[in-house]
């Protein structure tokens, strides 16, 4: 009897431990709390021990290429959002905000080629830092990425394949990676969702990490008068599929826009969306009728 | 060979033997002909003539042509302008004859064969004026002129009457063509000597170059010249033009621009790098280039800048680096392709920001910081214009239950709203509809988040309001 009690206690303790990572600031030395700058320097990139363990030195390294692949076509905004949140974390490493160069290859793409500045602000980025280069072909897109990586002016470059990708392969990515490593600038590239599942040519690249990103249902927020729960903070199912000098892994992350940090969604919270009986008029009436029927049947039985 | 007015009064004329001339006028001063120097001074005079018109060219060996289209009224009409020009040139100690006509050839003839010092051919009277003149007034090659004279064609009037086909058969195209041009029947092209710029460097090549590397070497040299020119006057230029003159008469012009005032040879070369790469791939250099010129435009006074110190050094270096990078992008893709967004004072999402080319410095970008408090949850990607969707929603103002977008059905599990945005009735030009919009943030079963809105209210503005998807969240 006592053994089972201990087991239950242990399981509960484990769950509380998992939930512990759901707070904005991670556990650490209390001395760090007074010095937020050193905090960001000392802790890992994500501030989540499980994830930082997988990355080399616990950091998303500067001077390298990082790839983000949407899991499906409609996951492009999720991949872009996750990449921008990573960018925000990278931006935070420096005291001064650095310019960010945004370039997208929109050839045959069906998402807008430009970022909405108000949306960037919601993620905690300053739109004034963003430079947008409009290109007409993939060749120019890659040229822009390469040139901006080679220059010291733009330490952060973000490129997005909104349309199809044709020329991005190992050679091209190697060129980009070499340029990046020479100057120490970072490239976050959002690739086409079909890029990796395809042939060997485009799946093997010189990128340091590759993330597969999928949108995930956010935590519902229930309000008294609403029929449908409100949307929570953005969540993604993130898979680190390739990591040179590290390990791969899979997590569900949530972005805290107040603190500009990632949270690990623990197993307790990570459940299927709660199927509360939605109190929309149709559903409500349906429930009522069922109950009535049940009641009626009971009555009949009683009778 | 030339003579001046005084000598001519004594009876000296061109083509006379020197001994005879000396016999006629013992005090005659002679000097050896120096055509090159003459040409240089003529060119200098042509530069001077730019005060009358920006389009000037030298007519070798002894003339200057001005295209005064649209310039005459600035000097009080054509006769006054001629008077002014001649009096000024006279003051320089030069004897001038001026012809003014509808065509280049006509003006040439009027200047040399007119009765007076200043000859003005009224508009439309070209034929009448030319008819009594000798055929020399057409400035024909010597052999054609000789042959025509042998045929007994002495006056231009005779030529005008002659049908052009036999003339063409005998003398080639050049004769009728020249006649037509002089009469204004055919178009004539006025190629100005230089565009009006002071900062200009050029070099003539002994051997034509057919490779881009050669052009690059020349550019380096020319850039050095230009750098010297600009630096000595503390000036910088914003645009440059490189003209490559091909052996066969074709001129290739390459332009490059800079965001900052530039006076550095190395930087000029960097600006032209992309253009030269394109030259290598797209343009046929033909038999080669034997003449290259480089001119600077938008030249401005350069404020002397001190290099920053301490923390600023880095910031300054970075500004220089970013300007360099943007110049490279701009020269290849066009400067209007590099944009930055600035906030606009509007709550309508499509109008809430604007893309401005970076080179237009509005200084408005810092406004983003002030906007922080206003911004609610906004999508990362905004559709402009919004895309219509078919929606199942509660009436009158419930959140949508499901919607179909791009032929895909999305079941909504989370919804938030409405956020009501009123139309801007004070704007008359209506590309966006003038209806109240109710915005909803929704999420579908698979965790994709959208920003939907209903255009118009039920039973108030519209019976059947349409739904649109305005954006997608991360």
């Amino acid at each position: 009897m006592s053994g089972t009690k201990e087991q239950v206690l242990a399981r509960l303790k484990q769950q509380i431990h998992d939930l512990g990572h759901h707070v904005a600031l991670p556990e650490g030395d209390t001395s760090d709390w007074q010095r937020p700058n050193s905090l960001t320097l000392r802790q890992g990139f994500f501030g989540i021990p499980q994830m930082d363990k997988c990355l080399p030195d616990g950091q998303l390294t500067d001077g390298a290429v990082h790839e983000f692949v949407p899991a499906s076509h409609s996951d492009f905004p999720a991949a872009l959002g996750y990449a921008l949140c990573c960018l925000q974390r990278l931006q935070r490493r420096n005291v001064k905000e650095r310019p960010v160069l945004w370039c997208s290859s929109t050839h045959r793409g069906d998402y807008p080629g430009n970022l909405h500045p108000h949306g960037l602000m919601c993620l905690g980025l300053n739109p004034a830092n963003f430079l947008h280069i409009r290109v007409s072909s993939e060749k120019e897109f890659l040229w822009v990425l390469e040139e901006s990586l080679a220059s010291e002016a733009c330490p952060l470059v973000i490129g997005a394949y909104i349309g199809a990708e044709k020329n991005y392969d190992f050679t091209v990515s190697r060129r980009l990676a070499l340029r990046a490593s020479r100057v120490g600038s970072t490239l976050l590239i959002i690739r086409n969702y079909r890029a990796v599942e395809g042939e060997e040519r485009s799946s093997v690249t010189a990128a340091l990490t590759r993330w597969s990103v999928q949108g995930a249902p956010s935590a519902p927020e229930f309000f008294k008068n609403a029929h449908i729960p409100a949307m929570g903070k953005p969540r993604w199912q993130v898979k680190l599929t390739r990591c040179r000098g590290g390990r791969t892994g899979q997590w569900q992350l949530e972005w805290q826009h107040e603190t500009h940090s990632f949270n690990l969604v623990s197993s307790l919270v990570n459940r299927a969306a709660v199927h509360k009986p939605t109190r929309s008029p149709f559903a409500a009436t349906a429930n009522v009728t069922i109950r009535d029927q049940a009641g009626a049947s009971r009555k009949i039985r009683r009778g | 060979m030339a003579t001046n007015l005084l000598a001519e009064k004594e009876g000296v004329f061109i083509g006379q033997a020197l001994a005879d001339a000396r016999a006629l006028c013992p005090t005659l001063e002679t000097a050896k002909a120096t055509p090159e120097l003459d040409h240089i001074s003529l060119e200098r005079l042509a530069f001077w003539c730019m005060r009358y018109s920006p389009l000037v060219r030298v007519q070798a060996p002894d003339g200057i042509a001005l295209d005064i289209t649209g310039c005459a009224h600035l000097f009080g009409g054509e006769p006054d302008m001629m008077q002014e020009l001649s009096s000024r040139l006279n003051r320089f100690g030069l004897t001038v004859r001026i012809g003014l006509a509808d065509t280049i050839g006509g003006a040439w003839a009027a200047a040399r064969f007119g009765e007076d010092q200043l000859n003005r051919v009224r508009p439309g009277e070209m034929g009448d004026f030319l008819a009594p003149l000798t055929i020399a007034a057409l400035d024909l090659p010597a052999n054609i002129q000789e042959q025509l004279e042998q045929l007994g064609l002495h006056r231009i009037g005779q030529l005008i009457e002659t049908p052009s086909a036999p003339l063409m058969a005998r003398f080639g195209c050049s004769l009728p063509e020249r006649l037509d041009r002089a009469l204004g029947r055919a178009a004539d092209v006025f190629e100005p000597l230089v565009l009006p710029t002071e900062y200009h460097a050029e070099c003539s090549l002994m051997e034509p170059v057919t490779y881009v590397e050669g052009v690059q070497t020349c550019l380096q040299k020319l850039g050095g010249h230009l750098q010297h020119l600009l630096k000595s006057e503390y000036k910088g230029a914003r645009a440059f033009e490189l003209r490559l003159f091909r052996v066969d008469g074709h001129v290739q012009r390459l332009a490059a621009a800079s965001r900052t005032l530039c006076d550095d040879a190395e930087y000029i070369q960097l600006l032209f790098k992309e253009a030269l790469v394109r030259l290598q791939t797209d343009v046929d250099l033909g038999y080669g280039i034997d003449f290259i010129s480089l001119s600077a435009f938008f030249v401005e006074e350069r404020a002397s800048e001190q290099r920053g110190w301490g923390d600023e050094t880095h910031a300054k270096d970075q500004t220089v680096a970013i300007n360099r990078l943007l110049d490279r992008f701009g020269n290849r893709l066009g400067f209007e392709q590099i944009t930055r967004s600035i906030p606009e004072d509007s709550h309508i999402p499509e109008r809430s920001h604007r893309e401005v080319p970076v080179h237009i410095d509005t200084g408005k970008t810092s406004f983003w910081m002030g906007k922080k408090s206003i911004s609610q949850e906004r999508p990362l990607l905004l559709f402009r214009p919004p895309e219509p969707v078919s929606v199942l929603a509660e009436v009158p103002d419930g959140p949508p239950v499901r919607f179909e977008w791009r032929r895909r059905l999305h079941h909504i599990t989370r919804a938030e709203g409405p956020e009501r945005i009123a139309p801007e009735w004070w704007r008359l030009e209506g590309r966006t509809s003038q209806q109240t919009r109710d915005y909803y943030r929704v999420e579908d079963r698979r965790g994709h988040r959208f920003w939907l809105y209903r255009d118009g209210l039920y039973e108030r503005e519209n019976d059947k309001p349409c739904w649109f998807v305005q954006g997608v969240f991360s």
Side-chain angles (χ1 to χ4, degrees):
Chain A
M1 200 64 185
S2 63
T4 53
K5 215 177 236 174
E6 273 164 17
Q7 276 175 4
V8 170
L9 267 176
R11 202 168 68 233
L12 281 173
K13 270 179 186 164
Q14 182 59 41
Q15 283 189 353
I16 290 166
H17 177 80
D18 285 350
L19 277 173
H21 298 296
H22 201 60
V23 294
L25 279 166
E27 299 160 294
D29 294 352
T30 42
S31 57
D32 280 342
W33 283 66
Q34 277 80 41
R35 291 178 286 123
N37 276 336
S38 67
L39 177 92
T40 48
L41 281 175
R42 276 191 52 200
Q43 75 178 21
F45 179 75
F46 288 98
I48 299 164
Q50 293 98 310
M51 285 186 81
D52 293 334
K53 261 192 293 187
C54 294
L55 293 168
D57 301 331
Q59 295 295 335
L60 207 62
T61 322
D62 274 334
V65 178
H66 302 282
E67 288 179 2
F68 298 84
V69 189
S72 72
H73 173 255
S74 45
D75 282 316
F76 171 75
L80 179 64
Y82 176 64
L84 283 169
C85 290
C86 289
L87 187 87
Q88 212 279 340
R89 298 283 294 183
L90 285 170
Q91 185 80 290
R92 237 161 60 111
R93 273 194 212 157
N94 285 51
V95 183
K96 245 187 112 187
E97 285 185 335
R98 300 177 289 180
V100 180
L101 193 131
W102 156 263
C103 186
S104 59
S105 165
T106 49
H107 179 63
R108 291 202 313 201
D110 45 9
Y111 283 104
N114 211 345
L115 297 166
H116 184 42
H118 293 279
L120 286 176
M121 256 184 343
C122 293
L123 292 179
L125 290 151
N126 184 1
N129 294 333
F130 275 73
L131 284 172
H132 174 226
I133 317 268
R134 207 177 300 138
V135 293
S136 53
S137 67
E138 195 193 351
K139 205 172 138 199
E140 280 180 354
F141 168 71
L142 292 171
W143 177 77
V144 164
L145 291 187
E146 207 174 302
E147 284 296 320
S148 38
L149 284 176
S151 143
E152 307 100 273
C154 271
L156 294 173
V157 184
I158 177 158
Y161 270 109
I162 294 176
E165 63 174 72
K166 268 188 205 146
N167 301 328
Y168 189 86
D169 57 5
F170 182 77
T171 322
V172 171
S173 64
R174 182 91 186 113
R175 278 174 71 112
L176 291 171
L178 277 175
R179 298 237 169 176
S181 66
R182 204 170 296 153
V183 186
S185 43
T186 313
L187 171 67
L188 308 180
I189 186 163
I190 295 132
R191 298 190 59 190
N192 191 284
Y193 72 104
R194 254 179 298 198
V196 185
E197 70 190 23
E199 70 266 55
E200 191 79 348
R201 195 178 74 92
S202 55
S203 69
V204 177
T205 60
L208 198 73
T209 61
R210 181 185 295 154
W211 302 84
S212 171
V213 187
Q214 193 180 6
S218 60
E221 285 179 24
F222 294 100
F223 289 99
K224 225 177 181 179
N225 298 324
H227 307 308
I228 305 178
M231 221 158 99
K233 288 160 188 126
R235 275 188 189 178
W236 307 285
Q237 185 66 39
V238 169
K239 217 189 278 179
L240 183 57
T241 52
R242 219 168 258 263
C243 183
R244 197 169 295 165
R247 276 175 294 160
T248 58
Q250 188 174 348
W251 306 274
Q252 197 170 89
L253 292 176
E254 188 176 74
W255 177 249
Q256 292 278 352
H257 64 275
E258 289 104 344
T259 53
H260 304 327
S261 58
F262 288 106
N263 278 344
L264 195 67
V265 180
S266 63
S267 54
L268 187 73
V269 189
N270 180 22
R271 284 182 298 190
V274 184
H275 282 295
K276 274 210 167 184
T278 48
R279 283 192 284 136
S280 68
F282 323 111
T285 47
N287 275 352
V288 167
T289 49
I290 292 163
R291 205 182 295 143
D292 278 355
Q293 274 175 356
S297 61
R298 247 175 255 148
K299 268 176 195 167
I300 291 159
R301 258 182 219 166
R302 270 178 204 163
Chain B
M1 271 183 286
T3 56
N4 69 1
L5 222 58
L6 277 174
E8 272 170 22
K9 267 185 194 158
E10 297 287 335
V12 178
F13 58 91
I14 295 168
Q16 201 175 25
L18 181 61
D20 294 353
R22 283 256 165 82
L24 276 170
C25 174
T27 54
L28 187 73
E29 278 182 29
T30 54
K32 239 184 166 179
T34 50
E36 299 92 338
L37 290 179
D38 285 353
H39 189 78
I40 289 169
S41 47
L42 197 64
E43 214 167 71
R44 207 178 299 147
L45 199 62
F47 268 107
W48 181 83
C49 286
M50 274 185 186
R51 62 179 297 160
Y52 291 99
S53 160
L55 296 171
V56 172
R57 81 168 178 197
V58 174
Q59 280 184 325
D62 56 356
I64 293 168
L66 277 83
D67 187 349
I68 58 156
T69 314
C71 301
H73 73 279
L74 296 172
F75 302 91
E78 286 176 355
D80 285 7
M81 186 180 184
M82 282 164 78
Q83 202 63 50
E84 149 106 8
L85 181 61
S86 106
S87 68
R88 270 183 188 263
L89 286 170
N90 278 334
R91 248 181 279 155
F92 288 174
L94 300 166
T95 320
V96 284
R97 292 180 65 88
I98 299 176
L100 200 155
D102 292 352
T103 60
I104 302 170
W108 191 90
R112 284 162 183 79
F113 295 89
E115 286 150 358
D116 310 314
Q117 228 186 0
L118 309 176
N119 299 287
R120 177 164 170 265
V121 182
R122 284 169 200 287
E125 293 179 8
M126 211 60 243
D128 298 352
F129 172 77
L130 282 178
L133 297 180
T134 61
I135 47 166
L138 280 179
D139 192 22
L140 294 165
N143 58 337
I144 295 185
Q145 194 179 330
E146 217 171 292
Q147 284 174 16
L148 282 171
E149 267 163 1
Q150 280 170 2
L151 289 170
L153 295 165
H154 295 286
R155 307 263 153 210
I156 296 175
Q158 292 169 304
L159 271 181
I160 293 171
E161 283 156 18
T162 320
S164 63
L167 282 179
M168 208 186 287
R170 184 148 193 165
F171 301 104
C173 293
S174 68
L175 174 61
E177 211 176 307
R178 194 158 294 205
L179 191 63
D180 282 351
R181 280 186 185 169
L183 289 169
R185 287 190 214 145
D188 206 351
V189 184
F190 189 95
E191 283 168 347
L193 181 70
V194 276
L195 279 176
T197 174
E198 256 179 275
Y199 303 92
H200 184 80
E202 57 190 31
C203 76
S204 180
L205 307 168
M206 299 268 277
E207 286 279 317
V209 292
T210 46
Y211 296 103
V212 172
E213 288 76 16
V215 177
Q216 246 155 7
T217 317
C218 289
L219 180 62
Q220 203 174 350
K221 198 174 129 198
L222 291 175
H225 280 297
L226 213 56
Q227 177 183 344
H228 177 72
L229 275 176
L230 291 165
K231 280 226 162 117
S232 62
E233 297 182 29
Y234 300 103
K235 283 187 173 161
R238 288 191 195 277
F240 298 91
E241 189 180 62
L242 184 70
R243 297 197 196 110
L244 306 171
F245 295 79
R246 246 161 54 178
V247 175
D248 52 357
H250 182 83
V251 181
Q252 184 71 40
R253 296 165 75 180
L254 306 173
S258 163
R259 296 183 67 230
T260 47
L261 286 175
C262 162
D263 63 351
D264 186 39
E266 239 176 83
Y267 200 77
I268 293 172
Q269 214 170 0
L270 190 83
L271 292 177
F272 277 106
K273 198 171 163 188
E274 288 310 315
L276 289 177
V277 168
R278 233 176 301 148
L279 188 75
Q280 198 164 22
T281 51
D282 303 349
V283 180
D284 177 24
L285 289 182
Y287 295 111
I289 289 155
D290 62 348
F291 189 86
I292 298 176
S293 76
L294 178 69
S295 11
F297 300 96
F298 303 108
V299 177
E300 283 169 39
E301 207 74 49
R302 216 178 127 89
S304 49
E305 274 177 45
Q306 187 196 340
R307 278 181 70 88
W309 50 279
D311 273 355
E312 271 178 36
T313 319
H314 180 67
K316 206 142 222 171
D317 284 351
Q318 192 157 33
T319 322
V320 171
I322 201 145
N323 279 332
R324 182 172 284 240
L325 182 69
L326 294 182
D327 276 344
R328 292 215 59 199
F329 288 159
N331 280 317
R332 172 152 173 181
L333 309 165
F335 279 93
E336 64 287 346
Q337 306 292 334
I338 313 162
T339 56
R340 174 157 60 181
S341 28
I342 55 164
E344 289 277 291
D345 290 327
S346 173
H347 287 290
I348 304 284
E350 296 103 298
R351 293 212 196 96
S352 61
H353 70 106
R354 194 155 53 96
E355 295 294 317
V356 233
V358 174
H359 63 87
I360 301 169
D361 194 12
T362 51
K364 261 185 164 178
T365 46
S366 51
F367 287 9
W368 283 115
M369 289 339 278
K371 292 262 164 192
K372 209 153 216 173
S373 53
I374 304 165
S375 164
Q376 283 114 359
E377 288 287 323
R378 286 287 179 267
L380 200 53
L381 295 167
L382 193 79
F383 293 107
R384 288 207 276 194
E387 297 185 5
V389 287
S390 58
V391 164
L392 181 73
E394 287 171 43
V395 279
D397 54 358
V401 179
R402 61 169 184 263
F403 69 99
E404 194 184 318
W405 177 53
R406 291 179 178 169
R407 292 174 171 258
R408 260 182 116 156
L409 199 63
H410 299 267
H411 292 274
I412 291 166
T413 53
R414 317 249 190 287
E416 209 173 298
E419 180 190 342
R420 187 157 291 179
I421 296 179
E424 294 174 334
W425 51 265
W426 56 92
R427 273 186 219 262
L428 283 175
E429 83 288 357
R431 278 179 72 210
T432 49
S433 76
Q434 296 278 326
Q435 289 190 355
T436 309
R437 295 176 178 184
D438 276 351
Y439 279 91
Y440 293 90
R441 292 169 60 212
V442 300
E443 184 181 292
D444 71 2
R445 269 186 206 156
R446 296 188 302 148
H448 300 135
R449 292 166 272 269
F450 304 89
W451 208 31
L452 302 177
Y453 78 87
R454 189 185 60 232
D455 197 30
L457 302 172
Y458 276 100
E459 290 166 4
R460 234 185 290 171
E461 290 173 0
N462 199 337
D463 280 342
K464 262 197 122 198
C466 298
W467 283 81
F468 293 93
V469 57
Q470 176 88 69
V472 280
F473 293 92
S474 54

